[in-house]
């Protein structure tokens, strides 16, 4: 009897299940129903994604570091005995990996493999089968020369996404090696940066390297999303020239506007200097429709950063006049409209600067913010390093490293409420070789011992110099 009762109960549950499932699916639009876990405790966004990280220097490592912060298992493959060249560049603490390396390789694991060694190639093939994405930024052709052609990779793992940074896309320069400043120059940034009467300038922000790494990261997650539909990997290419041009897009806008007359928001318009046939350098003029300049504050120029960026945004013009002590400019037709002000921007900013010079950049910021006047102090790296609000948000983090001790780094600038990034120190060279061979590639202890003596994961012995 009890048995019969139990059976009928089970039956009832069984018949109920598909209907309940249907209802739940309808409710969540066919997608999994939302996690019940509190925000920030449902794991990391890219948990389960494994990256074969063949990147070096800055552009590629920027990309894979971001993916690692979002939870991907990033396995950095490095040349035995040497590693990423930046480990030993701009060294500040003897015997420790440089800040250049440590600040670009957080949250990754390091394995050393000689990609040109027969056994090394075999290990790499195994890694390809275990990973979702291969990221590289070698010189053009280097990956192919290792035997890792798209066809080879795709045959081993059709789901593999192969993501590359190159200096240029297909075209006359496709075979060139490229570094940051070359990209800034060839992507249109340098020709539009600096002052009109000075040479082209590169910027301090690494828009060629880190900028392209950011583009690549977006390409990778997009390809991962498409793969969830197609089941197929694809190639993702970001050329540094393209990435810089994308960031300099407003300057290509101005190039086309030139055909229709002078660029009235540029200082040279007010100075009566004719425009040429290419977008000129605009100094610190604002790139948008609201004129802006960098102005001296109390302490300048002795303090090289006692300046503020000041925007004469049209809707707050009247407040600006009141703050700087020119209330008549509010109604004077020579100053009251944005159009009337354009030819006089130099004089207007000189007057505003006479006011900003009576305040420190922080005092000026406090006063101007009360009136919603857009402005920003020129912050030095020292000030940013000491800024407590950036520490609180994890944008500036202190990291501990076994060989160099504590150092500051920039944490993940992209904040996800349900995928909280924690910055972990960069790996030592080959630190995770054993665990990756064992846990990811499932080599036996005997096989690992054989690999160790094969020369595939260790640096070739240096021949002793003759006395
Ligand atoms: N085992 C064995 N060999 C390895 C290896 C490994 N684990 N990792 C790299 N190598 C080899 C490569 O196969 C290559 O050999 P090859 O030229 O015989 O084929 C060699 O190391 C050098 O690689 P390469 O990429 O040419 O380095 P480089 O120091 O000469 O050039 C760049 C550096 C950055 C200029 C170049 O990689 C490049 O243009 N990259 C694309 C653009 C880019 O990302 N630039 C910005 C960097 S921040």
């Amino acid at each position: 009897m009890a048995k019969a009762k139990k059976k009928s109960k089970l039956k009832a549950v069984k018949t109920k299940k598909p209907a309940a499932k249907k209802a739940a699916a309808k409710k969540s639009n066919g997608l999994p129903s939302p996690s019940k876990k509190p925000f920030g405790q449902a794991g990391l966004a890219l948990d389960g994604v494994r990256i074969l990280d063949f990147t070096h220097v800055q552009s590629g490592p920027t990309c894979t570091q971001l993916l690692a912060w979002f939870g991907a298992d990033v396995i950095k493959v490095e040349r035995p005995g040497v590693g990423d060249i930046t480990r030993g560049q701009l060294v500040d603490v003897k015997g420790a990996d440089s800040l250049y390396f440590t600040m670009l390789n957080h949250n990754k694991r390091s394995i050393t493999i000689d990609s040109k060694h027969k056994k090394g190639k075999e290990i790499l093939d195994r890694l390809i089968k275990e990973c979702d994405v291969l990221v590289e930024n070698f010189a053009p052709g280097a990956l192919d020369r290792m035997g890792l052609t798209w066809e080879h990779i795709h045959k081993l793992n059709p789901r593999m996404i192969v993501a590359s940074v190159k200096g240029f896309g297909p075209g006359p320069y496709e075979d060139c090696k490229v570094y940051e400043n070359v990209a800034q120059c060839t992507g249109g940034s340098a020709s539009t940066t600096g002052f009109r009467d000075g040479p082209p300038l590169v910027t301090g922000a690494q828009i060629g390297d880190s900028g392209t790494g950011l583009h690549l990261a977006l390409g990778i997650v997009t390809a991962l999303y498409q793969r969830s539909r197609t089941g197929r990997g694809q190639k993702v290419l970001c050329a540094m020239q393209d990435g810089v041009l994308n960031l300099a897009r407003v300057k290509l806008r101005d190039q086309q506007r030139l055909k229709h007359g002078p660029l009235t928001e540029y200082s040279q318009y007010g100075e009566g200097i004719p425009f040429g046939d290419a977008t000129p350098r605009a100094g610190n003029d604002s790139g948008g429709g609201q004129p802006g300049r960098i102005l001296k504050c109390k302490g300048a120029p002795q303090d090289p950063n006692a300046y503020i960026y000041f925007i004469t945004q049209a809707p707050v013009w009247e407040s600006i006049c009141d703050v700087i002590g020119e209330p008549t400019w509010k109604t004077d037709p020579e100053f009251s409209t944005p159009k009337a002000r354009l030819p006089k921007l130099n004089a207007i900013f000189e007057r505003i600067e006479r006011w900003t010079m009576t305040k420190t950049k922080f005092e000026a910021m406090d006063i101007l913010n009360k009136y919603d006047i857009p402005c920003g102090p020129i912050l030095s790296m020292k000030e940013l390093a000491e800024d407590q609000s950036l520490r609180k948000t994890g944008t500036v983090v202190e990291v501990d490293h076994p060989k160099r001790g504590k150092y500051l780094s920039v944490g993940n600038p992209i904040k996800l409420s349900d995928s909280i990034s924690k910055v972990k120190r960069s790996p030592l060279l080959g630190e995770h070789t054993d665990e990756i061979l064992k846990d990811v590639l499932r080599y036996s202890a005997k096989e690992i011992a054989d690999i160790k003596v094969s020369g595939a994961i260790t640096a070739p012995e240096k021949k002793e110099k003759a006395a």
Side-chain angles (χ1 to χ4, degrees):
M1 182 84 172
K3 246 188 185 175
K5 241 186 179 178
K6 218 178 186 180
K7 211 176 178 188
S8 68
K9 218 178 180 183
L10 266 179
K11 231 183 183 178
V13 172
K14 255 190 187 166
T15 47
K16 229 175 152 185
K17 219 178 179 183
K21 244 189 178 175
K22 237 183 188 176
K26 207 172 173 194
K27 239 180 169 177
S28 58
N29 203 14
L31 297 169
S33 43
S35 165
K36 298 248 181 331
K37 288 190 179 164
F39 271 76
Q41 287 174 35
L44 290 165
L46 293 182
D47 191 14
V49 174
R50 188 168 274 154
I51 311 279
L52 198 173
D53 181 10
F54 241 138
T55 67
H56 64 156
V57 201
Q58 185 179 168
S59 64
T62 298
C63 165
T64 50
Q65 177 168 260
L66 275 167
L67 303 174
W69 278 333
F70 288 132
D73 177 14
V74 175
I75 298 175
K76 185 166 172 113
V77 177
E78 298 183 80
R79 200 203 296 244
V82 185
D84 186 325
I85 194 163
T86 59
R87 284 188 186 267
Q89 280 181 343
L90 313 176
V91 169
D92 55 331
V93 176
K94 214 170 160 225
D97 289 327
S98 72
L99 286 169
Y100 197 2
F101 177 84
T102 49
M103 290 176 73
L104 283 159
N105 290 285
H106 292 115
N107 296 50
K108 304 181 187 177
R109 298 200 272 175
S110 168
I111 179 172
T112 50
I113 305 174
D114 180 348
S115 63
K116 290 175 178 159
H117 189 283
K118 192 164 168 275
K119 191 76 188 166
K121 282 176 191 290
E122 184 198 300
I123 300 169
L124 276 170
D125 281 357
R126 256 167 111 146
L127 263 176
I128 288 168
K129 289 185 192 158
E130 295 298 329
C131 291
D132 298 279
V133 189
L134 184 156
V135 192
E136 63 95 19
N137 68 312
F138 289 126
L143 198 66
D144 286 0
R145 286 195 290 278
M146 288 178 186
L148 298 178
T149 60
W150 162 252
E151 291 73 23
H152 177 79
I153 295 166
H154 212 219
K155 203 168 151 200
L156 288 176
N157 180 358
R159 291 173 62 79
M160 175 70 103
I161 291 157
V162 179
S164 306
V165 170
K166 295 287 164 263
F168 296 93
Y173 304 123
E174 63 186 312
D175 291 331
C176 298
K177 291 189 175 186
V178 168
Y179 283 107
E180 170 69 44
N181 288 348
V182 176
Q184 288 199 25
C185 292
T186 56
S189 174
S191 73
T192 54
T193 304
F195 287 91
R196 190 181 38 76
D197 48 5
L201 278 186
V202 293
T203 77
Q206 306 286 283
I207 57 175
D209 279 340
S210 284
T212 309
L214 274 163
H215 282 90
L216 193 72
L218 176 61
I220 290 168
V221 290
T222 306
L224 279 168
Y225 186 72
Q226 187 172 8
R227 194 185 74 171
S228 66
R229 277 204 325 271
T230 63
R232 209 167 55 208
Q234 60 183 301
K235 288 189 254 184
V236 180
L237 170 68
C238 284
M240 293 168 76
Q241 181 185 42
D242 301 8
V244 171
L245 181 58
N246 185 33
L247 298 176
R249 135 185 327 254
V250 297
K251 299 297 178 180
L252 187 59
R253 172 200 69 192
D254 292 350
Q255 178 63 39
Q256 296 168 86
R257 288 172 59 221
L258 271 178
K259 279 195 210 123
H260 305 281
L263 306 173
T264 51
E265 76 282 15
Y266 282 52
S267 307
Q268 79 179 75
Y269 170 70
E271 291 161 7
I273 296 163
F275 285 79
D277 61 359
T279 307
R281 292 188 268 290
N284 293 319
D285 295 345
S286 153
Q290 309 288 348
R293 299 278 175 85
I294 288 184
L295 305 177
K296 285 191 199 105
C297 292
K298 204 189 258 179
Q302 292 77 13
D303 173 350
N305 295 305
Y307 292 82
I308 192 163
Y309 201 91
F310 192 111
I311 297 178
T312 55
Q313 193 201 18
V316 288
W317 174 246
E318 296 200 351
S319 302
I320 293 171
C321 298
D322 286 335
V323 168
I324 64 169
E326 294 291 349
T328 58
W329 283 5
K330 290 192 277 189
T331 47
D332 182 343
E334 286 291 307
F335 293 95
S336 59
T337 65
K339 197 165 174 219
R341 291 195 290 274
L342 279 175
K344 304 179 202 73
L345 286 179
N346 279 0
I348 291 170
F349 279 113
E350 268 167 34
R351 175 63 190 93
I352 299 173
E353 191 172 60
R354 287 215 297 280
W355 177 80
T356 55
M357 283 173 74
T358 65
K359 312 275 178 262
T360 68
K361 60 188 176 186
F362 296 112
E363 286 165 354
M365 171 94 172
D366 283 347
I367 296 168
L368 297 170
N369 266 340
K370 283 192 191 112
Y371 298 94
D372 276 343
I373 299 167
C375 62
I378 308 304
L379 295 182
S380 67
M381 277 299 153
K382 180 173 184 295
E383 286 162 334
L384 289 164
E386 291 163 359
D387 187 314
Q388 289 311 305
S389 62
L390 292 176
R391 298 284 183 105
K392 270 197 193 127
T393 59
T395 296
V396 175
V397 287
E398 197 175 72
V399 188
D400 208 358
H401 187 277
K403 293 217 173 145
R404 65 175 308 115
K406 289 199 164 62
Y407 66 97
L408 282 189
S409 192
V410 184
N412 191 346
I414 305 168
K415 320 289 187 200
L416 264 59
S417 64
D418 210 5
S419 177
I420 314 292
S421 307
K422 287 210 175 78
V423 179
K424 294 191 201 132
R425 71 162 173 86
S426 59
L428 304 176
L429 179 60
E431 184 177 345
H432 305 97
T433 301
D434 276 20
E435 72 176 45
I436 292 164
L437 290 176
K438 185 166 159 277
D439 301 339
V440 178
L441 302 179
R442 294 177 292 278
Y443 281 109
S444 66
K446 158 89 175 64
E447 286 169 320
I448 293 175
D450 289 346
I451 288 170
K452 280 187 177 160
V453 292
S454 74
I457 59 168
T458 44
E461 299 245 331
K462 276 187 194 147
K463 280 189 189 133
E464 276 199 34
K465 279 186 192 157

